[in-house]
Amino acid sequence: MAKLRVRVYNVRFGDAVLVTIPDRAPNGSVAKRHMLIDVGNVLSGAGGADELFRPVLADIQKQLAGQPLDLYVMTHEHLDHIQGLFYGAEKLGVRFNVTHAWLTASAAPDYYDTHPEAKRKRLQMEAAYEQIAQFLRAAPELETPYVRALMHNNNPRDTGQCVDYLRSLAQKTTYVHRGVDLTGAHPFQEAQFEVWAPEEDTADYYRGLVPMALAVSPDSGASALPGLTEPLPPAGVDAGAFYNLVEMRRRGYGSNLLAIDRAANNTSVVVSLEWRGWRLLFPGDAEYRSWKMMEQHGVLQPVQFLKISHHGSHNGTPDVELLDKVLPPRAGRRRRRAVLSTYPDTYGGVPDAETLALIQSRCAVTSVEGLTDGAYVDIEFTG
Ligand SMILES: [Zn+2]
């Protein structure tokens, strides 16, 4: 019996998944092919530790045994998914020979030229990010480890260089979205792939920015730090109500930072892999909005393997009604499993115990938590 193997590495707060697939050609010959999904972790706090990429990349090389990597998938443009291969190339001199790569559609170099509404919303998000960055420089006491992780993960400059690197990683790069034609986009003959998300136009994922008035005085020079200005209530306005409003708008930075984070998560490539009767789902960090759109487009189907989305956050797993489509309460005859890739005390409330309990009520869950850095868990499927 042949075995398909999903290897999930402990990269602390991030994802790195290597899938090894015995792929049978129509003439009966079987090739061992590899798909690598993401490789990254956050740059801040306990969840980040770049040294662990050394053993992870070494193991991936060992598994490839001199063959090229058949398919690399970049789910979305967050450092905890993209910085590992760039780090490997820059700092460790480790480069992979990759034949095909899939990057999320909105990572295409000309994407925002052809999608004006997505561009408009993305620019709003970037402007909000810059405002928040200035605000946190003026009020550093508000920069908790969680806020710092969010800021790093969503920094357009840092992600830009990693994405540039990944765009040139493979001999052939395809920017993928739901409904994309995958003909010629991978060398697999037996294994079947479907991209369930994201939508080709990402404009709908950018929502939820609240008005912010952070009252930061402009940076007066390269060396000067911005300061917080203290606005005065206009004549005739109740001072208490006025300062409450100022405070509320300042607090809007937290909710906007989450909206920025969520928008990028929802551009995650959600890929389903079918092999000898098994269906495996790798949803990156897709959050609720993306699950809802998958449901609206009728692509959700029962799976026997789930890479739990977004490190086990409350938002990464749909509520029961939608989860029923992916992991129905009654299992079929094949055993179902899920893997959690996460690290505690990095992102507020992640992983979420209630969410994990819900998934555990449907299938066995394995976590990389507690493994040594760079170690892995293997899940195997016999076919
Ligand atoms: Zn992530």
Side-chain angles (χ1 to χ4, degrees):
M1 284 298 236
K3 281 192 167 125
L4 178 151
R5 188 187 69 201
V6 179
R7 176 163 289 187
V8 182
Y9 295 93
N10 175 24
V11 287
R12 297 204 177 188
F13 199 93
D15 269 7
V17 181
L18 181 68
V19 189
T20 301
I21 307 164
D23 191 48
R24 192 184 287 129
N27 69 7
S29 67
V30 177
K32 196 195 242 191
R33 297 193 195 280
H34 302 275
M35 168 170 73
L36 178 64
I37 304 172
D38 291 331
V39 180
N41 64 16
V42 289
L43 280 182
S44 133
D50 286 343
E51 315 79 63
L52 58 74
F53 290 124
R54 193 186 288 277
V56 169
L57 298 181
D59 186 70
I60 295 169
Q61 280 189 315
K62 188 174 157 201
Q63 301 310 313
L64 292 172
Q67 284 184 51
L69 174 62
D70 298 287
L71 179 60
Y72 173 76
V73 180
M74 181 202 85
T75 60
H76 66 294
E77 302 179 58
H78 266 159
L79 287 182
D80 62 325
H81 296 254
I82 62 173
Q83 65 124 338
L85 294 189
F86 178 70
Y87 178 89
E90 291 284 302
K91 301 279 162 61
L92 306 174
V94 177
R95 286 171 190 272
F96 292 90
N97 177 7
V98 184
T99 59
H100 293 79
W102 298 351
L103 274 60
T104 189
S106 51
D110 62 349
Y111 182 81
Y112 292 104
D113 298 337
T114 50
H115 297 81
E117 183 59 11
K119 180 179 182 177
R120 194 179 66 79
K121 292 187 170 178
R122 163 100 189 193
L123 288 175
Q124 277 176 1
M125 292 267 174
E126 284 185 11
Y129 179 92
E130 281 311 318
Q131 271 184 289
I132 296 167
Q134 280 253 328
F135 174 61
L136 292 172
R137 286 170 66 201
E141 70 280 4
L142 295 175
E143 202 183 52
T144 60
Y146 177 30
V147 167
R148 200 172 305 129
L150 280 165
M151 290 302 286
H152 274 301
N153 233 2
N154 288 282
N155 185 324
R157 275 182 295 276
D158 293 349
T159 53
Q161 55 180 354
C162 295
V163 176
D164 273 348
Y165 175 73
L166 296 174
R167 284 187 187 115
S168 61
L169 183 71
Q171 288 159 30
K172 178 165 182 181
T173 302
T174 308
Y175 295 93
V176 304
H177 54 82
R178 182 181 61 79
V180 73
D181 180 5
L182 295 173
T183 311
H186 64 80
F188 290 83
Q189 305 209 41
E190 183 187 13
Q192 305 278 313
F193 298 94
E194 261 177 42
V195 174
W196 291 5
E199 291 303 297
E200 203 266 330
D201 189 346
T202 58
D204 202 43
Y205 299 130
Y206 289 91
R207 47 172 68 203
L209 279 184
V210 298
M212 272 191 310
L214 298 174
V216 181
S217 66
D219 239 327
S220 51
S223 59
L225 280 177
L228 290 183
T229 57
E230 289 306 331
L232 293 171
V237 170
D238 174 71
F242 176 79
Y243 287 116
N244 280 345
L245 180 68
V246 169
E247 194 48 40
M248 198 179 80
R249 293 210 155 190
R250 275 194 175 145
R251 260 188 253 126
Y253 79 92
S255 119
N256 280 353
L257 200 42
L258 287 172
I260 293 167
D261 193 54
R262 198 158 53 227
N265 285 338
N266 279 328
T267 66
S268 286
V269 175
V270 177
V271 58
S272 120
L273 158 63
E274 261 190 276
W275 179 83
R276 301 187 191 177
W278 299 98
R279 188 181 289 116
L280 291 76
L281 189 63
F282 303 90
D285 278 358
E287 293 199 28
Y288 194 71
R289 182 90 202 135
S290 176
W291 287 108
K292 206 166 162 189
M293 290 178 87
M294 288 186 259
E295 158 67 1
Q296 279 166 2
H297 291 285
V299 294
L300 296 179
Q301 291 187 65
V303 305
Q304 288 85 37
F305 173 83
L306 176 69
K307 194 286 304 184
I308 295 174
S309 182
H310 196 220
H311 319 286
S313 82
H314 174 66
N315 307 323
T317 295
D319 58 22
V320 175
E321 197 188 323
L322 264 64
L323 189 67
D324 280 355
K325 311 255 167 154
V326 179
L327 294 171
R330 262 169 192 276
R333 114 194 123 73
R334 290 174 186 256
R335 188 171 168 224
R336 299 185 298 186
R337 281 158 290 178
V339 167
L340 175 65
S341 167
T342 197
Y343 199 80
D345 304 325
T346 306
Y347 258 49
V350 180
D352 176 61
E354 224 172 281
T355 300
L356 293 185
L358 174 63
I359 299 171
Q360 266 158 350
S361 73
R362 308 294 169 93
C363 66
V365 175
T366 310
S367 173
V368 301
E369 283 175 289
L371 296 180
T372 55
D373 284 351
Y376 51 77
V377 292
D378 284 343
I379 310 285
E380 293 185 327
F381 301 85
T382 305

